[in-house]
Amino acid sequence: MTSFEVLPGKPRAYGAMLTPQGINFSLFSRHATSVTLYLFDAPNAAQPAATIVLDAATHRTGDVWHVLVTGLGAGTLYLYQVDGPYNPPQGHRFNSNKYVFDPYARAFTAGSVFRAYRKQRTEGRAGIENGRLSDLSDCPKCIVVADADFDWQGDRPLEVPLEKTIIYEMHVKGFTASPTAGVAHPGTYRGVIEKIDYLKSLGVTAVELLPIFEFDEYENDHVNPRTGEMLTNYWGYSTIGFFAPKTTYSSDCSPGGAVREFKEMVRELHKAGIEVILDVVYNHTAEGNEYGTTFCFRGLENSVYYLLPPEKQYYMNYSGCGNTVNCNHPIVRNFIIDSLRYWVTEMHVDGFRFDLASALSRSQEGHVVNFPPLPNLIAEDPFLRGAKIIAEPWDAGGGYQLGAFPGGMRWCEWNGRFRDDMRRFIRGDERVATDAATRFAGSSDIFKPSGRSPLASINFITAHDGFTLADMVSYNTKHNEENGEDNRDGSDDNYSYNNGFEGDSTNTKIVHARLRKVKNFFICLFTAQGTPQLLGGDEVLRTQRGNNNAYCQDNELSWMDWTLVKKNYEVLHFVRTLIRLRLNHPLFQRVCFFTGTEIVWYNASGKNPDWNELNRFLAFQLIGTDDNDFYVAFNTDIYDRTLTVPSPTVGTRWYRVADTSITGGDDIREEGDEEPLHEQVRYVLPADSAIILMSK
């Protein structure tokens, strides 16, 4: 720190970049009047070790502030202080009392403890943040990272075709945080590595990780009314660092250790043939509304980074989280593209699921537009060409673009219609078989008009947001009392059914009914055309005790309970076998919609159904040319049915693959061990059951 030299530096390549001479720092701020760079000699340093004031005449080019500090290397710790106009009615919120993060920071120190920032916050009527943080020992610092130092061992993108893709949605920490996980590094990227064999044996081809961008775990002010404990931001949908992996998810606590450990996780997952998809939140940041905390963007250029109404002291809120990122401003658009490119090129991730993606389609006036620049730029960016891009095609402000998300053929979408229609169908609702049939066939009503294939539909029954699959068949209503919001949070539209008793039950009849319906849901998911997504833990009946919004529950309620692997092995085996069946047979992996000859629909009598009359029953036959025929049937009624089974291809006979009414482990047969049917024309399908037959 005593031997460095300060040079003008260069404005290109935002962030802190290693050069042969030292580190080049580059920061965008259009209306700043002064910028100060602080350097630290330890993660827990209470005060800076060096202060560098940037001279606008030397260290500013256009709207970019820059400086080259010689003699510094990887591991250097730094923060900024930026001064400028504080004029909320004009959209400016500069505050020279605040230490701000580099928006391009590759890593943070201090284990993500952002509480130090909140200690200094006092709120005025206009949301003024006063007071200078006098002790920085508990405050995160930005870390300079040497990306080129990691040994990827020849790792390359897997680029698994969508038709061969099975997505497993999971939380990095929650996957191994429980003591039942039995791992050496619980709740970390390394913990995930220790469970790769489990993921591989399950048959999934991609993990979709809940947010791992750096966020503030301590922003939640609610208290668990049962335990009195402070609740957290567990899910992480409140980003602070868009280039930085979550520090507390790393067992390596040294500066930059999270970057190295994340890369190790990606590399080892790739060796197992498993892609890594990140759930990313570009629709809002952790800084909240006019009463929020300045971490970065509002202290650098508030009027550029956020959508502001004409009364610019406030924020447009299409995210439900206080603010909305100004995604289609050229500066912000480039920032998002830079972030995505970094995760693909330097961190080797394979794709992204964009949270509340309709916010990405909003103009600078806040309107959802048909041809927004950002979604099209993401779809066409050459660096992202091999990456999977998945939209959650709605936002919290009424934007809803299912089937019409802009950006062309590259985009896939979370299909909320698939979720809702399949839930209602398996629950036994009246006259939803037609809707279910459309979902089984790939949702052509949604995706065909835009010229996309069935694979654009990301099919899911459950996700992190909502009931688990076990709770779908065990609760009629949400039970979010422990979230500290008087059960007001979470959706009331779950299409669930408790099968006669609310919550856990030892009644054999109820237990068996629930088990059948869970397996029925899995058959829906893995025999439907589209790209299936499985919620982590559903394969072993993980429960959240009826909590359908466990965003704040960083505890056993949300964590994977690994004792369930043995306890509910029957379900786990069922799911594994279904996944193998799907991946082994092209009939379930269509890249185009049915033309009419490849699928035939039936009623229980073996005739073409009257869609106006078909109720609580659905059956279809997939006609194989270079594959086996398959017959799939669902009886969601309260009565048993005797089915008339159609004839398979000439020269073949029907064999039973699965029957969810059977218990004791014979509910599904492995490939090559299917059970021949003695009766080839009729099949008794009990109530609330489903079958899969295969011709051989």
Side-chain angles (χ1 to χ4, degrees), residues 518-530:
V518 163
K519 294 175 183 176
N520 293 347
F521 275 125
F522 283 127
I523 290 181
C524 289
L525 184 62
F526 292 114
T527 64
Q529 303 301 323

Side-chain angles (χ1 to χ4, degrees), residues 314-526:
Y314 305 112
Y315 293 82
M316 296 185 187
N317 184 13
Y318 299 112
S319 66
C321 298
N323 63 59
T324 306
V325 172
N326 191 6
C327 294
N328 286 295
H329 187 288
I331 296 295
V332 185
R333 189 169 67 224
N334 290 341
F335 169 77
I336 293 173
I337 290 295
D338 286 346
S339 171
L340 294 171
R341 286 176 172 178
Y342 176 77
W343 287 98
V344 167
T345 59
E346 297 295 342
M347 306 296 266
H348 286 210
V349 304
D350 303 280
F352 307 93
R353 177 265 188 189
F354 293 81
D355 178 67
L356 299 180
S358 287
L360 278 60
S361 297
R362 291 189 180 272
S363 68
Q364 294 185 54
E365 291 76 34
H367 306 303
V368 176
V369 295
N370 291 329
F371 300 100
L374 181 58
N376 287 280
L377 189 58
I378 292 171
E380 296 296 334
D381 188 83
F383 292 90
L384 308 177
R385 197 62 186 170
K388 294 177 172 64
I389 51 174
I390 302 169
E392 183 183 32
W394 49 80
D395 62 23
Y400 189 80
Q401 298 174 294
L402 179 59
F405 192 78
M409 306 291 286
R410 287 265 289 117
W411 282 95
C412 299
E413 299 177 26
W414 266 29
N415 190 345
R417 285 284 305 279
F418 182 95
R419 172 198 61 204
D420 295 345
D421 290 345
M422 291 306 192
R423 287 183 177 188
R424 293 168 60 225
F425 175 60
I426 296 302
R427 185 171 67 171
D429 285 13
E430 290 274 1
R431 309 201 182 284
V432 294
T434 302
D435 294 332
T438 307
R439 305 301 147 235
F440 276 112
S443 297
S444 60
D445 59 328
I446 297 173
F447 296 102
K448 193 173 183 179
S450 62
R452 284 180 289 174
S453 79
L455 299 172
S457 175
I458 303 297
N459 296 336
F460 66 104
I461 305 294
T462 55
H464 68 276
D465 188 1
F467 281 145
T468 66
L469 196 54
D471 290 353
M472 273 291 303
V473 298
S474 303
Y475 294 90
N476 282 349
T477 59
K478 66 186 182 185
H479 294 270
N480 300 352
E481 293 84 3
E482 292 193 25
N483 291 358
E485 300 182 50
D486 297 322
N487 205 33
R488 294 187 302 269
D489 62 305
S491 175
D492 293 312
D493 300 321
N494 299 292
Y495 304 116
S496 61
Y497 177 49
N498 66 16
N499 288 279
F501 185 82
E502 190 77 352
D504 191 30
S505 175
T506 58
N507 183 295
T508 303
K509 184 177 180 180
I510 292 175
V511 170
H512 287 169
R514 291 174 175 176
L515 194 58
R516 287 196 302 273
K517 287 188 176 178
V518 163
K519 294 175 183 176
N520 293 347
F521 275 125
F522 283 127
I523 290 181
C524 289
L525 184 62
F526 292 114

Side-chain angles (χ1 to χ4, degrees), residues 547-566:
N547 191 320
N548 75 347
N549 189 34
Y551 76 99
C552 55
Q553 300 292 338
D554 186 5
N555 49 52
E556 296 282 358
L557 186 73
S558 295
W559 299 343
M560 178 78 159
D561 180 357
W562 289 90
T563 66
L564 298 176
V565 172
K566 181 177 180 180

Side-chain angles (χ1 to χ4, degrees), residues 72 81 111 122 169 184 240 249 283 337 449 470 657 692:
L72 302 182
Q81 202 168 66
T122 58
E169 189 195 36
I240 288 175
Y249 292 171
N283 60 80
I337 290 295
V657 175
I692 302 175

